[in-house]
Amino acid sequence: MSVSPRQPSSQPVIAVIGGGPAGLMAAEQIANAGLRVEVFDAKPSVARKFLLAGIGGMNITHAEPYDAFVTRYGEAQPILQPMLDELTPQQLRQWIHELGIETFVGSSNRVFPTGMKAAPLLRAWLHRLRGQGVAFHPRHRWRGWVDNDPQQGWKFETPEGEICHRFDAVILALGGASWAKLGSDGRWCKPLQQAGVELNPLLPSNCGFEMHWSPFIQERFGGTPIKNIVLAVTDRNGTRIERKGEFLITGYGIEGSLVYALSAPLRDLLLLADPKRPAELQLDWLPHLSQEAITAKLKQPRKGLTFANLLRKRLHLPPIAPALLRECCPDLATQDAPAIAQALKAMPLRPTATRPIDEAISSAGGVRFDAVNRDLMLKKFPGMFVAGEMLDWEAPTGGYLLTACFATGKRAGQGLVRWLTSD
């Protein structure tokens, strides 16, 4: 194993391990301060997850009022907001514009770069970083420390074998544990735990859920979207949360934007396993109609209509509606108009489990905020900082995830500079 020598103390050796948005933003802050920084990434090129997420349209941030924006981070809001205040969605857009990429506000106030793709933005960013002297080391997977001591050296697995580097300061930005094939595999948990860093377990976030569908639902309706509805969940604290939109019935269960928006409280209910607080979504098929109005429509003479045709003709519901009612409300009397109306306003969906974390869009858990200081430096290891999804926070899709990754990367990068330059 080769070991890189330390450079003179007048030129600190600085590393960012992890080349996603958080790591690259941290590297930019360090380079802006006139310091040389090297970025190490396990993959052949940086920001793989960022690029793949941008294939269908790079949702970079969100344009809703900032007071509402910061609430999307839930319990982590008090900790993240000071960092978001330093890189607001509008400031993030301006930063993108300075790279020569314009942005626009799309549907639901989501913000996209012109062209909708991540690749042009990343190319412009990397070109600027290289111009600032940032060096990149692909195919360098961090494997912990020599003798479990950061002072003894940082071990990397490379195509040429294991090598060791020594650094004066480091930013870890290795992502969470979703999309492992793109680099976020959560393997960093083991060396940090062994070193005594406090972590919360990594959990799937913005994820799908498994349901016990019958073969009929799986075969007939797998892949069917359910649109213009409301889903609601009552979280473990007794607060009811409602969202309007659409989701997808799959062979294994449910997924899609509306499910992702409620995935955190639903997942927590599954983990709680409290029969008094079941993990249940309630589906309102007709949010524009009251239960009384639905009952009145159903009480009109049926004229020989079957249950499925009754829902289709009187309420304009799709074929999947009566099928799911039979599946989720097996004791429902199809001649009882008030009972049907009640079921249509609050049809229960009871998932049995989350999908595997590797399928999730993002992950919750990670390094606890009480293990780092305000600059995101580990209290146990001076000079070692953490940014991005390695930290214990989560947010819904819609640009919130990326914005916080950028913001924590900025804070960690500037914090490292402050630490190195302080007396």
Side-chain angles (χ1 to χ4, degrees), residues 53-66:
I55 288 177
M58 182 76 261
N59 179 201
I60 201 82
T61 189
H62 204 284
E64 71 178 332
Y66 186 64

Side-chain angles (χ1 to χ4, degrees), residues 69-85:
F69 181 92
V70 293
T71 67
R72 307 303 183 187
Y73 297 93
E75 295 178 357
Q77 179 187 343
I79 299 171
L80 287 177
Q81 185 166 348
M83 303 177 214
L84 295 165
D85 290 345

Side-chain angles (χ1 to χ4, degrees), residues 356-376:
I357 192 169
D358 191 43
E359 295 180 14
I361 292 175
S362 59
S363 58
V367 177
R368 293 166 54 103
F369 279 105
D370 55 13
V372 297
N373 67 10
R374 68 176 301 276
D375 280 334
L376 303 181

Side-chain angles (χ1 to χ4, degrees), residues 69-362:
F69 181 92
V70 293
T71 67
R72 307 303 183 187
Y73 297 93
E75 295 178 357
Q77 179 187 343
I79 299 171
L80 287 177
Q81 185 166 348
M83 303 177 214
L84 295 165
D85 290 345
E86 296 172 357
L87 189 63
T88 65
Q90 186 55 46
Q91 290 170 331
L92 181 56
R93 292 181 70 183
Q94 181 59 38
W95 174 83
I96 295 170
H97 298 163
E98 291 169 359
L99 287 169
I101 306 293
E102 293 302 313
T103 61
F104 70 95
V105 180
S107 61
S108 303
N109 274 334
R110 297 184 179 209
V111 176
F112 301 88
T114 302
M116 301 286 287
K117 302 299 182 184
L121 192 163
L122 181 62
R123 282 196 298 268
W125 193 9
L126 293 178
H127 177 75
R128 186 166 75 183
L129 289 171
R130 290 190 175 100
Q132 293 175 304
V134 178
F136 292 89
H137 300 279
R139 296 186 174 93
H140 279 62
R141 181 181 293 278
W142 178 51
R143 288 301 195 194
W145 304 289
V146 176
D147 297 330
N148 292 321
D149 182 1
Q151 296 298 319
Q152 298 301 313
W154 295 67
K155 298 188 294 184
F156 292 88
E157 178 186 300
T158 76
E160 290 73 39
E162 187 174 277
I163 63 173
C164 176
H165 288 282
R166 291 177 178 171
F167 306 119
D168 294 298
V170 175
I171 289 177
L172 292 170
L174 291 159
S178 62
W179 299 15
K181 67 180 181 180
L182 301 178
S184 299
D185 55 21
R187 294 184 187 180
W188 51 265
C189 289
K190 185 175 180 180
L192 289 184
Q193 284 176 323
Q194 289 176 339
V197 176
E198 295 180 350
L199 308 178
N200 284 331
L202 294 176
L203 301 170
S205 182
N206 293 296
C207 59
F209 290 82
E210 297 180 0
M211 302 278 298
H212 283 317
W213 293 139
S214 65
F216 173 73
I217 294 293
Q218 291 176 328
E219 296 166 11
R220 174 69 176 82
F221 293 107
T224 301
I226 300 180
K227 301 182 178 182
N228 302 315
I229 54 86
V230 166
L231 280 183
V233 63
T234 300
D235 69 14
R236 59 187 178 184
N237 298 318
T239 302
R240 182 177 173 85
I241 306 166
E242 294 185 356
R243 297 286 186 271
K244 186 175 182 180
E246 65 180 79
F247 70 101
L248 191 69
I249 299 296
T250 71
Y252 68 73
I254 53 176
E255 64 176 37
S257 59
L258 202 53
V259 172
Y260 302 155
L262 298 173
S263 63
L266 189 59
R267 176 205 64 221
D268 290 347
L269 287 169
L270 280 169
L271 292 172
L272 190 63
D274 183 350
K276 296 180 180 179
R277 289 188 175 92
E280 177 181 287
L281 292 170
Q282 291 188 337
L283 193 163
D284 183 349
W285 286 94
L286 298 162
H288 60 288
L289 290 177
S290 68
Q291 185 172 323
E292 292 74 19
I294 296 170
T295 301
K297 287 177 177 289
L298 293 173
K299 280 186 173 181
Q300 296 172 10
R302 287 201 175 190
K303 301 179 180 178
L305 291 174
T306 64
F307 181 58
N309 281 333
L310 177 71
L311 298 186
R312 179 175 62 86
K313 288 183 174 292
R314 299 278 169 79
L315 299 172
H316 308 292
L317 289 171
I320 192 173
L324 282 184
L325 278 173
R326 293 189 182 97
E327 187 94 356
C328 299
C329 306
D331 298 326
L332 181 65
T334 57
Q335 301 296 322
D336 186 340
I340 298 169
Q342 183 178 18
L344 288 171
K345 294 297 289 182
M347 191 189 82
L349 293 169
R350 300 187 180 99
T352 58
T354 63
R355 290 296 288 173
I357 192 169
D358 191 43
E359 295 180 14
I361 292 175
S362 59

